[in-house]
Amino acid sequence: QVQLEESGGGSVQAGESARLSCEASGDTSAYNWMTWFRQAPGKEREGVASIYTADGSTYYADSVKDRFTISQDTAKNTMYLQMNSLKPEDTAMYDCAAGKFKWSGFWNSPKVYDYWGSGTRVTVSS
């Protein structure tokens, strides 16, 4: 079993930055991908950014590329999402997920993730 705990959400102004953290505990060999998803009211959950923990390869949604950076601290079993130049459309509940799979093409599919945090809300005001 893996437990995920997010932190770092809150309210910011458009153009500002925020940093989310996701700390994993338990059987950390049970996953090799960690990913941030988000869901805004009335919208489907979408994959935001993902990291392949074995080699640090990263993947991003087009909507956040060049603004968001995902990273990891393997010693702390923690994943981070640095969000810069935030926009009102980034407002959502952000969830951390962990899973074990081989093909990178699955990174933004919620179905392949076995472990989820409880979420942290990010609100961006214009």
Side-chain angles (χ1 to χ4, degrees):
Q1 287 292 322
V2 177
Q3 294 77 43
L4 302 174
E5 184 172 356
E6 303 102 332
S7 60
S11 296
V12 297
Q13 296 290 317
E16 293 182 343
S17 299
R19 188 194 197 204
L20 305 182
S21 299
C22 174
E23 182 177 2
S25 59
D27 182 8
T28 56
S29 69
Y31 62 88
N32 56 4
W33 289 84
M34 292 188 79
T35 298
W36 288 99
F37 286 86
R38 69 184 181 186
Q39 188 166 21
K43 294 189 177 181
E44 290 188 359
R45 177 179 278 168
E46 66 167 336
V48 175
S50 186
I51 189 163
Y52 179 55
T53 60
D55 65 9
S57 298
T58 58
Y59 302 82
Y60 295 93
D62 288 343
S63 58
V64 305
K65 204 170 292 184
D66 300 326
R67 297 190 298 123
F68 290 11
T69 302
I70 190 171
S71 62
Q72 64 176 348
D73 183 333
T74 55
K76 296 181 179 179
N77 295 320
T78 300
M79 170 180 70
Y80 304 97
L81 185 67
Q82 178 65 41
M83 305 184 292
N84 297 330
S85 302
L86 281 161
K87 304 175 181 180
E89 50 263 45
D90 294 317
T91 294
M93 178 69 80
Y94 284 72
D95 294 302
C96 169
K100 196 163 193 174
F101 53 93
K102 293 183 179 179
W103 188 46
S104 61
F106 289 144
W107 77 263
N108 57 353
S109 173
K111 295 180 181 179
V112 301
Y113 294 89
D114 297 314
Y115 308 104
W116 293 83
S118 58
T120 185
R121 185 170 299 280
V122 175
T123 302
V124 184
S125 302
S126 58

